[in-house]
Amino acid sequence: MLRADLDHLTPYSAHLVPGDARKLDANEAPLDLPPTLKEKLARYLVTELSSNRYPDGVYGALRQAIAHYAGVPAAWIAIGNGSDELIRSLLLVSALHRGGILVADPTFSMYGILAQTLGIPVHRLERHTTDWAWDLTAANKAIAQEAIAIVFLVHPNSPTGNSLTAQERDWLAGLPPNVLVVIDEAYFEYAQNTLVSELPQHPNWVVLRTFSKGFRLAAYRVGYAIAQPHLVTALEKVRLPYNLPTLSAHAALLALEHRQELLGDIPQLLQERDRLYAAWQAWSPAQIQIWPSTANFLYLRTSHDRALQEFLQQRNIWVRRTGGGLRITVGTAPENHHLRESWAQFWEAL
C-alpha cells in the first residue's frame, strides 16, 4: 500500500544535543528572547488566547506587519509553518506533474528531500569550490536538456555562507518565465542583501524568509514568502487551514514590534564571526580551508573533519558536518572563546 520509492528516502533527522551543550550546529540565534518579551507571550497565553478556538486562518495582522517590514503590499505575503511548508507548497503549485527542480550542492538539503517525498526529480550541480558560485554553464545545459520547473537558491547559501554574485543574479533574471525562481533569504537579517526590490520585474520569482534566525523564533516555526499576488494566491490554494498556531503568529508580531531590540545584537555577532574567520584563516592552509561568510556561520573543510567534530563534542561543543565539511554557527562571545580554545587544543594534540 506504500510507494516503493519511499524505501530509498532517508528522513531528515535533527541532532539530539544535550540541554547544556554549546549548540553551534543549527545556525540558530545564540541568544534567547529577552525576558520582557517572554513575559508578554506568557501573559498573552494566560489572559487572551482561547485554546478552544482555531487560529485566525487569514493572519491578516501578521501579513500586514511583515509587508511593512519587507516594504511590499500585504497581498505579496504568504505565511508558512516555517519555510519548509512554503518550500513544499511551491513544489506542489509549480513542479508536481510538470518537471524537476535544480539545485547546486552543497546547499540546504530540504529542497531535495521535500521534492523526493513528492516524487519530483531533483537535478544537482556541483558548485565552484573557489567561491561556491554556481556553475552557470552546467546550469544552462541542465535547463536546456531537462524539464526544470523550479530553481532553488539560498542567498546567502547554507552551508557555505556565500551570497549570490552579480553574474548569478543576471543569470536568474534571464531564466525563462516558465521556470520558478525561489530565492531563500533565511539569513537576510545577517547579510542585509535582498532581491525583494527586483520582484516587481519578475513574476516568476519568490523570496522566502523566516523568523527562525535573526528574530530568535526557531521554536515557533514562522516563515513567509514574498511574491507577486498571482503566486501568493497559488500558495494559498494549497496551504493547510490554520497552518500557523495562534501563539506563533502572536510571537512573530511581537518580534516585529521589538525588532530593534532583537536585531540589535547582530553587529556584535558579525564581529565575532569575522574574528573567528580571521583566526582560522591564519591557520595552516595544509590543515584547513575556510571561506568567508555573509551569514551567522562559517564553513571549512579539513581532512580531519570527523575527528575535529568528535573532539569538540567531547568538550560539549556541537557543530554540523555537512556537504563535505564542517558548518559552525557563531555563538555568544563565551561560546566562541571556548570554541577557539578547544580548536587550538585539537590541532596541538595531532
Side-chain angles (χ1 to χ4, degrees):
M1 67 178 182
L2 299 178
R3 288 166 39 195
D5 63 312
L6 293 180
D7 291 339
H8 306 291
L9 298 186
T10 301
Y12 182 88
S13 59
H15 293 161
L16 295 176
V17 179
D20 63 342
R22 291 173 174 84
K23 197 171 184 300
L24 307 179
D25 66 327
N27 293 353
E28 298 152 323
L31 298 177
D32 199 349
L33 289 179
T36 52
L37 263 66
K38 285 199 167 189
E39 289 169 5
K40 288 185 178 183
L41 279 172
R43 189 159 52 249
Y44 175 79
L45 176 64
V46 172
T47 63
E48 297 183 49
L49 191 150
S50 299
S51 299
N52 60 316
R53 302 301 181 193
Y54 288 113
D56 164 19
V58 179
Y59 305 104
L62 179 56
R63 291 177 67 191
Q64 188 65 53
I66 291 173
H68 179 73
Y69 173 64
V72 299
W76 289 47
I77 302 296
I79 303 294
N81 191 286
S83 296
D84 292 338
E85 182 191 18
L86 291 163
I87 293 167
R88 191 172 188 274
S89 294
L90 289 165
L91 290 165
L92 288 172
V93 302
S94 184
L96 192 65
H97 308 311
R98 196 175 77 88
I101 71 168
L102 184 64
V103 296
D105 288 329
T107 196
F108 183 44
S109 62
M110 288 307 298
Y111 308 133
I113 291 172
L114 289 170
Q116 288 177 302
T117 64
L118 296 171
I120 294 170
V122 180
H123 303 280
R124 302 181 184 276
L125 306 175
E126 293 295 324
R127 293 173 178 265
H128 297 298
T129 56
T130 51
D131 58 0
W132 299 114
W134 277 57
D135 182 340
L136 297 181
T137 300
N140 286 329
K141 182 178 179 180
I143 290 174
Q145 294 181 346
E146 309 288 349
I148 301 297
I150 307 179
V151 173
F152 281 100
L153 311 96
V154 200
H155 177 54
N157 186 51
S158 177
T160 53
N162 58 299
S163 293
L164 291 172
T165 66
Q167 186 180 12
E168 288 169 328
R169 293 169 71 147
D170 290 343
W171 175 73
L172 293 177
L175 287 176
N178 66 325
V179 175
L180 183 66
V181 175
V182 180
I183 303 143
D184 191 338
E185 294 185 356
Y187 303 96
F188 162 71
E189 280 72 27
Y190 300 105
Q192 288 297 312
N193 192 347
T194 180
L195 274 68
V196 166
S197 63
E198 299 182 36
L199 291 179
Q201 289 76 48
H202 300 288
N204 60 323
W205 282 20
V206 179
V207 168
L208 296 180
R209 288 189 187 168
T210 179
F211 283 82
S212 295
K213 308 299 183 183
F215 279 104
R216 315 186 199 178
L217 291 183
Y220 291 87
R221 307 298 296 128
V222 186
Y224 59 99
I226 312 170
Q228 292 191 28
H230 64 282
L231 287 173
V232 171
T233 299
L235 291 172
E236 286 294 295
K237 290 180 179 180
V238 299
R239 178 172 66 87
L240 294 176
Y242 315 117
N243 59 324
L244 193 65
T246 302
L247 189 60
S248 294
H250 189 72
L253 277 170
L254 270 180
L256 287 170
E257 291 172 10
H258 296 267
R259 59 180 174 271
Q260 288 187 337
E261 178 183 4
L262 293 179
L263 304 180
D265 69 302
I266 287 181
Q268 182 180 352
L269 183 144
L270 298 182
Q271 289 178 4
E272 288 287 320
R273 178 200 67 195
D274 295 343
R275 191 175 296 117
L276 284 172
Y277 173 74
W280 292 344
Q281 189 186 37
W283 218 265
S284 169
Q287 292 177 313
I288 69 164
Q289 186 177 13
I290 188 168
W291 288 267
S293 170
T294 58
N296 66 327
F297 55 86
L298 289 166
Y299 185 69
L300 61 94
R301 285 183 171 178
T302 169
S303 58
H304 304 289
D305 61 348
R306 184 185 295 272
L308 177 56
Q309 181 189 38
E310 292 174 353
F311 184 88
L312 293 175
Q313 284 184 9
Q314 292 169 6
R315 282 145 184 80
N316 212 20
I317 301 172
W318 292 73
V319 300
R320 187 170 181 85
R321 192 157 52 86
T322 181
L326 292 177
R327 190 192 67 197
I328 303 176
T329 309
V330 179
T332 61
E335 287 174 330
N336 297 331
H337 177 72
H338 184 61
L339 172 63
R340 286 195 299 270
E341 285 187 334
S342 301
W343 168 279
Q345 291 167 5
F346 172 80
W347 293 108
E348 289 169 2
L350 281 181

